[in-house]
Amino acid sequence: MAIKPTVVLVHGAFSDGASWSPVAMRLLGEGLEVRVPAISNRSLAADAAYVRSFVERIDGPVLLVGHSYGATVAGVAGDAANVRGLVFIEGYVLEVGESAQDVHRRFPDPEAMPYFDEAAYPVPGEADAAEISVRIEEFPFLTALGIPADEAAVLAVTQRPLDAEVLAEPATVAAWLDRPSWGVVATADRLINPEAVRFGLDRAGVRELVELPGPHLVLHTHPGDVARLIVDAADAVR
């Protein structure tokens, strides 16, 4: 009997593992095993190494799913031996040696570009580093349009910033080269240009590309559609 893969969900920039809640609830309802690791949003190499180690501790096959920056992390961490497939949700899918910044520069800037705030944070024993976040008052419009106002307000004030240097950090692995992949483009995203997302997914030769008329947090506006694609991918690799 074929073994169902464990679905590992990797969160993106400006959010945390709770961003997966609407999708995870549906996956659990389908009888899938689900795990949602927390990543630091401080280093692509470090976050990918952590996710890879997290995946390798799971006994059995894994379907690795990433949203936003988490999709980039999954593309690097997905070379773990037990990863059977990848699902990329509205995030940059990189070639080896390529950074998110490299892909970003191929396309017009998204609407959110003027509305990022940058702040210094301390790094013990080193010079301060910089982190970026979406301006709180603009977050609902740029990231969460279509989500109830009270929920969007909570997402805005609980966002997890991204280290500014992550955007220029090159990928050391492109796991999609030898694993089947699926993808979602959120066509109303104002945080990432959807054309940049579509470019990466097309290049990766995804088995199925789903376009949804949602914002960056498409996990909240279209959780059923996202969950259905993940279930289909899990069925395909079991």
Side-chain angles (χ1 to χ4, degrees), residues 1 8 37 65 69 71 90 96 124-125 132-133 149 153 175 185 187 192 210 227:
M1 186 175 180
V8 175
V65 185
Y69 166 62
E90 194 56 19
V96 173
I132 56 175
S133 57
V185 175
T187 59
I192 297 177
V210 175

Side-chain angles (χ1 to χ4, degrees), residues 213-230:
H216 190 69
L217 285 172
V218 70
L219 309 179
H220 288 254
T221 58
H222 294 76
D225 296 297
V226 173
R228 174 47 53 194
L229 181 65
I230 294 170

Side-chain angles (χ1 to χ4, degrees), residues 20 64-68 70-76 78 85-94 174-177 179-185 197 200-201 204 206 208-210 226 229-230:
W20 280 107
L64 186 57
V65 185
H67 169 248
S68 178
T72 304
V73 173
V76 178
L86 300 159
V87 183
F88 301 112
I89 313 293
E90 194 56 19
Y92 294 121
V93 180
L94 304 181
W176 49 266
L177 286 168
R179 284 164 175 78
S181 302
W182 291 257
V184 169
V185 175
V197 175
L201 295 173
V206 294
E208 183 178 358
L209 192 158
V210 175
V226 173
L229 181 65
I230 294 170

Side-chain angles (χ1 to χ4, degrees), residues 52 55-56 60-62 77-84 179:
R52 187 183 294 110
V55 164
E56 288 172 341
V62 165
D79 65 339
N82 57 333
V83 170
R84 297 291 182 265
R179 284 164 175 78

